[in-house]
Amino acid sequence: MFHFLITVCLWSTAVFAFVEELDGSFKDIKNDDVWLVDFYAPWCGYCKKLEPVWNDVGAELKRSGSPVRIGKMDATAFTGVASDFGVRGYPTIKLIKGEASYNYKGPRSKDAIIEFANRLAGPVLRSLPSKQMFEHVLRRHDVLFVYVGGVSPLKDKYTEMASELIVHTYFFSALEDVLPETVTLNEVPAVLVFKDGGHFVYDEYADGSLSSWVSRERFLSYLPIDGYTLYDLGDTGKLVAIVIIDEKNPTEDSIRLRNLVQRVATEYRDHYNRDVQFGHMDGSEYINSLIMGEISVPSIIMLNATSEQYFLPKKPVSTLEELLLFINSVLDGTAEGHGGDGVIQRVKRLAYDAKSTVQSVFRSSPILGCFLFGLPVAVISLMCYVLCTASAADDGTEDLKQDEEDEDEEDEEDEGQGRPALLDTTEETNKSIMDKKVD
């Protein structure tokens, strides 16, 4: 047992050694290496939840020989450093590479964080020198961007764009002779994206700017969607068509609706790809909180991820024609919109979030909820009672003083009236005595 405890202690020490606790001197050493840093607050619940994952990330990066050093910093203790890096919330994960820093906004999972770190630690453009390497990378990535050709103005644009969007996806370069035999290019240089079992070539005249095209194409045409993905989709400018399903208990209706949306995403790609992203979400809880309402399962919703405006079909969708009619009505502006980011909606959002927070606290810990919300109510009630009591006491004192002043005035009046009477009696007595002396 003793040896087991020693082993556990040594293992824990080794794990924590992979994560360096940083202080104010970090700004002087940050340029020496590539750093992945968790800016946290000691009281933050999300930070505490991330801590074991962060330790696993540190151990894995060390074991794999990654050049990325992993650290964490108490942003409440070193506010100046945190402010320099633009930290506004906790936890904030940043990869710092020289003078550049990149925010991580993906899932708080070990694999996702490690993939982010390895992608940004390497070169902006990764070369594919052979067919074997190209095929290997193609199998490894669901979405693959490749520049084909030599030095050109297009490559300069591609490199500049890649340096900005490397935070989201990988970018590769290759010569034409390493491409699969199924790929035929009308001209070189060119930029291609490989996804959905095929490839698509960037056309400056039809697709607009290269960065906009990459932002739109960096997702599969149909994909699973969660809160992180939905947030990320806000940068594409697309509407998001989401099938709400229950993956644990799939029904015939949910399977049918999901197949319909997948079919539209594939067969009508050329028609909708610029404006609509398709996918499904497991469960309605996240969408319910977003629209501040209840949505049935299964169902379909179209959402503007930027403005939080959403659209629902007037009746259940059961055929391909009904689905296309609904999507087209949203795109042409004839569908009724709900939600949005107006003033009234913002006020409703504040009230809804406050209500949800209170309910969440009481569901997870009723005792803590009573303490957090009962204590302020008790303090406010006590203060009101003290103020009211003090006011009543002040009123009574004033009345008492007034009564005393009134009594004093009455005494003075009595005294003023009594003295002449006493004086008259004395004078009569003295007069009697003088009369007796005369007699």
Side-chain angles (χ1 to χ4, degrees):
M1 183 64 179
F2 177 75
H3 293 292
F4 173 75
L5 292 175
I6 292 294
T7 302
V8 170
C9 291
L10 291 175
W11 179 83
S12 300
T13 303
V15 168
F16 284 108
F18 297 140
V19 179
E20 302 180 47
E21 187 72 43
L22 305 175
D23 56 25
S25 63
F26 175 64
K27 59 184 179 181
D28 299 323
I29 64 171
K30 66 181 181 65
N31 291 336
D32 297 341
D33 296 283
V34 179
W35 286 88
L36 185 66
V37 181
D38 167 28
F39 293 89
Y40 71 94
W43 44 262
C44 169
Y46 292 107
C47 301
K48 294 177 181 177
K49 187 176 180 180
L50 176 64
E51 187 174 3
V53 176
W54 201 248
N55 292 330
D56 290 342
V57 170
E60 180 65 27
L61 289 176
K62 187 70 174 179
R63 183 165 52 249
S64 64
S66 171
V68 180
R69 295 174 67 179
I70 187 165
K72 61 179 182 177
M73 177 182 290
D74 182 352
T76 63
F78 304 100
T79 55
V81 178
S83 179
D84 290 342
F85 284 104
V87 175
R88 297 290 182 270
Y90 313 111
T92 293
I93 298 174
K94 285 181 175 284
L95 185 131
I96 300 161
K97 189 177 181 181
E99 296 300 325
S101 65
Y102 303 87
N103 284 339
Y104 175 73
K105 298 178 181 178
R108 302 292 197 261
S109 64
K110 183 187 77 170
D111 292 340
I113 295 173
I114 289 175
E115 197 271 342
F116 169 82
N118 289 333
R119 182 171 70 247
L120 272 76
V124 172
L125 290 187
R126 300 170 187 246
S127 177
L128 299 175
S130 65
K131 284 183 176 291
Q132 292 78 10
M133 179 63 71
F134 192 100
E135 291 173 357
H136 169 75
V137 172
L138 193 59
R139 287 192 299 268
R140 191 164 176 263
H141 297 275
D142 294 328
V143 179
L144 185 68
F145 290 98
V146 182
Y147 169 83
V148 180
V151 177
S152 70
L154 180 59
K155 185 173 185 179
D156 293 338
K157 287 183 181 180
Y158 182 76
T159 304
E160 182 180 357
M161 176 274 309
S163 64
E164 297 176 1
L165 299 181
I166 186 68
V167 68
H168 298 299
T169 188
Y170 288 91
F171 296 94
F172 296 88
S173 64
L175 296 177
E176 190 174 6
D177 58 1
V178 305
L179 296 177
E181 295 179 358
T182 55
V183 178
T184 302
L185 297 177
N186 294 328
E187 60 179 5
V188 175
V191 177
L192 295 81
V193 59
F194 292 81
K195 69 175 189 178
D196 300 326
H199 69 277
F200 308 94
V201 182
Y202 166 67
D203 183 339
E204 183 177 3
Y205 298 102
D207 299 319
S209 71
L210 182 59
S211 60
S212 298
W213 179 76
V214 169
S215 293
R216 292 195 303 268
E217 295 290 350
R218 63 188 176 89
F219 297 97
L220 294 170
S221 297
Y222 182 95
L223 73 163
I225 296 175
D226 57 16
Y228 294 106
T229 309
L230 194 57
Y231 177 85
D232 217 11
L233 286 168
D235 295 334
T236 67
K238 293 182 179 183
L239 292 168
V240 188
I242 308 174
V243 183
I244 310 299
I245 61 174
D246 184 353
E247 291 187 334
K248 294 181 180 178
N249 300 294
T251 64
E252 188 174 317
D253 287 340
S254 67
I255 295 173
R256 174 183 48 77
L257 186 57
R258 178 175 174 175
N259 289 339
L260 282 177
V261 174
Q262 285 180 314
R263 183 179 170 186
V264 171
T266 303
E267 297 180 9
Y268 293 81
R269 171 191 156 82
D270 293 339
H271 190 69
Y272 294 121
N273 182 65
R274 178 183 290 273
D275 302 308
V276 184
Q277 172 66 53
F278 297 93
H280 70 267
M281 180 175 286
D282 182 22
S284 62
E285 183 177 356
Y286 183 86
I287 290 295
N288 288 342
S289 66
L290 194 63
I291 68 175
M292 296 180 288
E294 295 287 335
I295 190 169
S296 60
V297 179
S299 61
I300 183 170
I301 181 173
M302 287 191 69
L303 178 71
N304 186 323
T306 303
S307 67
E308 295 185 3
Q309 187 180 35
Y310 63 94
F311 305 86
L312 297 170
K314 293 182 179 180
K315 61 180 182 178
V317 173
S318 56
T319 66
L320 179 63
E321 290 72 20
E322 290 175 344
L323 177 57
L324 293 174
L325 184 63
F326 168 59
I327 296 172
N328 290 334
S329 69
V330 174
L331 293 178
D332 64 24
T334 59
E336 180 183 2
H338 307 276
D341 56 359
V343 175
I344 295 177
Q345 282 297 119
R346 293 178 184 179
V347 173
K348 289 176 63 177
R349 169 61 60 188
L350 289 174
Y352 182 86
D353 289 344
K355 176 183 175 182
S356 300
T357 300
V358 172
Q359 291 176 340
S360 176
V361 170
F362 273 98
R363 278 197 300 265
S364 60
S365 179
I367 297 177
L368 178 61
C370 292
F371 176 77
L372 290 177
F373 299 102
L375 182 60
V377 172
V379 171
I380 293 173
S381 301
L382 181 60
M383 291 176 63
C384 292
Y385 173 78
V386 171
L387 290 174
C388 292
T389 305
S391 298
D394 292 342
D395 293 341
T397 303
E398 290 176 0
D399 292 341
L400 180 60
K401 289 181 179 179
Q402 186 65 42
D403 291 342
E404 291 177 350
E405 291 175 0
D406 293 342
E407 290 177 2
D408 291 342
E409 290 178 359
E410 291 176 2
D411 290 341
E412 289 177 358
E413 290 177 2
D414 291 340
E415 289 177 1
Q417 294 175 356
R419 281 172 187 160
L422 179 60
L423 180 59
D424 293 342
T425 303
T426 304
E427 289 177 353
E428 291 178 357
T429 303
N430 291 336
K431 185 176 182 182
S432 300
I433 294 173
M434 292 297 294
D435 292 340
K436 288 182 182 181
K437 287 184 179 181
V438 173
D439 294 338

